[in-house]
Amino acid sequence: MYKYLILIFVGYLLILSCNKPQTLEGDWRTSYFNGEAISQLKFFFNDFDLYTPTKYVPLIHIDKGHIEYALGIGLNKQKNFLSSSSNYFLSSSNILTIFNNEDKQSFKLEFSSKKEFCLFEKDKKVVCFTKINSIKECQVYSIELKIESEYYNHNLLVSNDGHFSLVRKGIKTDSLNQKLSLYEMSKINNLIRLVDIETDRDSEQNASGDYTEYELNLQCGEKNINRKFLGLRDISFGMRSLLLNMEMLSKAEYKSK
């Protein structure tokens, strides 16, 4: 009788372990995207339609309660440097609801393994993600970026201690030196960790038409990249995210201190 009760108890524990819900928290790499699904969505992640395996692979970071996507969530291009994350709720029936300002949309979430899940909208597969090991952060970094467009020239400098300097000429002509907030510093650190310096250092780029020119000097520990980008064509997801967010930071309104 005693052994029988033990077997029942062990079986119960096994059932509980098998039914243990999968966790969404961590870093995820896109492994599939259905470009035809965009027209059916209220909103989604910007630039996912550029998904090209090995060349342009979007990444997301999920914490408890929110999804971080470096290029913003929603069909309208991100305009605010600080608006790259959205809240979400995952129900007990695996319905993932993403909130975008006043709007929201729900997807059916299905895990194919502990390290891969897909989102479905009306039984149509929209996107799949594969979990990756935690991305290493730069303990020491600096960013020097010159941005030249038809309308303005911006030079900015950011260091890991939070020092931020900016010189602007064009639509707005001014300069400033200030300390970034802890939240802004965290956002920049997250952007840098997405960049594969060695790949972006040697990547080929074909520029066409009008473009904004970016001259970047990024120091991440002992690694460094120093090169010009003629627009955003043919560059990686991580580099696109860094350049666009730094450009938005350079365009922001700042109060004099």
Side-chain angles (χ1 to χ4, degrees):
M1 182 67 178
Y2 180 71
K3 291 183 178 180
Y4 181 69
L5 291 175
I6 291 178
L7 288 174
I8 293 176
F9 180 70
V10 171
Y12 178 71
L13 291 179
L14 288 174
I15 291 173
L16 288 179
S17 64
C18 291
N19 292 332
K20 184 179 180 180
Q22 307 283 10
T23 178
L24 287 180
E25 296 180 21
D27 294 304
W28 300 84
R29 176 185 291 114
T30 307
S31 56
Y32 168 84
F33 180 70
N34 179 3
E36 296 180 357
I38 293 178
S39 61
Q40 302 178 21
L41 303 179
K42 294 180 180 179
F43 59 86
F44 207 69
F45 305 98
N46 290 329
D47 296 326
F48 259 58
D49 55 331
L50 297 177
Y51 170 66
T52 305
T54 71
K55 291 184 179 180
Y56 189 85
V57 182
L59 301 174
I60 62 173
H61 178 77
I62 302 180
D63 282 328
K64 188 175 182 179
H66 77 273
I67 299 175
E68 179 81 16
Y69 183 63
L71 290 172
I73 293 177
L75 293 177
N76 295 323
K77 294 298 181 184
Q78 179 188 358
K79 295 182 180 180
N80 187 334
F81 169 71
L82 301 177
S83 65
S84 60
S85 66
S86 285
N87 295 331
Y88 76 88
F89 175 76
L90 181 63
S91 72
S92 58
S93 57
N94 273 356
I95 300 299
L96 179 72
T97 301
I98 303 176
F99 300 90
N100 183 46
N101 297 322
E102 301 299 321
D103 207 351
K104 65 180 181 180
Q105 184 161 15
S106 297
F107 302 90
K108 177 65 177 178
L109 185 151
E110 293 185 4
F111 277 96
S112 57
S113 70
K114 290 183 178 180
K115 294 189 176 182
E116 184 170 27
F117 71 86
C118 297
L119 299 182
F120 294 79
E121 202 276 333
K122 294 182 179 179
D123 297 325
K124 179 173 288 188
K125 186 186 295 185
V126 177
V127 63
C128 297
F129 297 98
T130 300
K131 196 166 190 177
I132 58 178
N133 295 328
S134 297
I135 305 172
K136 294 182 179 180
E137 297 184 2
C138 290
Q139 299 301 318
V140 178
Y141 67 81
S142 65
I143 302 173
E144 294 181 62
L145 180 62
K146 297 180 181 179
I147 307 168
E148 183 174 347
S149 75
E150 181 181 355
Y151 305 103
Y152 56 82
N153 294 320
H154 290 177
N155 294 345
L156 65 87
L157 171 64
V158 180
S159 57
N160 61 275
D161 63 359
H163 177 72
F164 174 60
S165 64
L166 174 66
V167 177
R168 299 189 281 199
K169 296 180 180 179
I171 296 176
K172 182 182 288 290
T173 299
D174 60 6
S175 62
L176 63 92
N177 285 277
Q178 67 177 43
K179 185 87 169 181
L180 295 173
S181 69
L182 292 177
Y183 184 63
E184 290 170 324
M185 292 167 62
S186 175
K187 299 282 284 191
I188 292 175
N189 198 307
N190 288 337
L191 290 169
I192 294 174
R193 65 199 283 269
L194 299 178
V195 175
D196 187 332
I197 291 179
E198 294 179 358
T199 298
D200 287 305
R201 184 191 292 129
D202 301 325
S203 62
E204 295 183 0
Q205 185 182 30
N206 298 309
S208 61
D210 296 332
Y211 57 82
T212 299
E213 182 176 294
Y214 305 89
E215 184 174 346
L216 174 69
N217 186 343
L218 171 62
Q219 186 75 38
C220 174
E222 297 180 355
K223 295 183 179 181
N224 173 266
I225 179 172
N226 191 342
R227 65 169 288 185
K228 287 185 179 180
F229 295 93
L230 306 179
L232 300 173
R233 181 177 176 180
D234 300 326
I235 66 173
S236 68
F237 167 77
M239 184 56 68
R240 176 188 289 261
S241 300
L242 178 66
L243 295 179
L244 280 178
N245 277 279
M246 290 299 97
E247 186 171 12
M248 284 187 287
L249 184 62
S250 78
K251 292 178 180 179
E253 294 293 332
Y254 296 96
K255 296 180 180 179
S256 58
K257 295 184 177 181

